[in-house]
Amino acid sequence: MARWGDVVYLGTPVETIVNGEVITSHTLVKRYVNRLSVRQNEYYDAMNTGLKPELMFEIRTLEYNGQTVLKYNNVDYSVIRTYDKGEFTELIVSRNLNG
């Protein structure tokens, strides 16, 4: 498997009010990751809570700062779960249908 062969952009939504309207924006940072398959038990556990995990990525823990938005191949995702494995962190994401 190629190591760190995929690129994602991570960010956290920031809401500002402009003329009484709430505007949500993100400052995205580029990160190299490994794309992994969502494990079957992860998929069913999330489905039982109303979530739909679509992709899983592995990132170096030092490069992940709790961001909740992920862009991959020009598609927006929300981070629905993380799993810290020491040197690496797994990010489970679901498509963001609102944005």
Side-chain angles (χ1 to χ4, degrees), residues 66-84:
Q67 295 97 333
T68 58
V69 174
L70 182 143
K71 184 179 281 276
Y72 176 68
N73 287 341
N74 289 320
V75 177
D76 293 327
Y77 295 90
S78 295
V79 177
I80 60 173
R81 191 185 76 75
T82 62
Y83 180 59
D84 185 340

Side-chain angles (χ1 to χ4, degrees), residues 28-97:
L28 299 174
V29 292
K30 181 179 181 179
R31 295 289 185 252
Y32 291 92
V33 298
N34 292 320
R35 181 176 171 192
L36 306 171
S37 296
V38 175
R39 291 180 291 275
Q40 188 175 17
N41 65 328
E42 180 76 42
Y43 180 82
Y44 287 112
D45 287 348
M47 289 293 287
N48 286 333
T49 61
L51 300 173
K52 185 179 179 206
E54 295 186 51
L55 299 172
M56 181 165 68
F57 298 97
E58 178 181 62
I59 187 170
R60 291 176 185 92
T61 299
L62 292 174
E63 294 183 343
Y64 179 67
N65 296 312
Q67 295 97 333
T68 58
V69 174
L70 182 143
K71 184 179 281 276
Y72 176 68
N73 287 341
N74 289 320
V75 177
D76 293 327
Y77 295 90
S78 295
V79 177
I80 60 173
R81 191 185 76 75
T82 62
Y83 180 59
D84 185 340
K85 297 169 38 180
E87 184 179 352
F88 306 108
T89 295
E90 290 177 351
L91 307 176
I92 312 298
V93 300
S94 180
R95 190 175 308 250
N96 183 355
L97 299 177

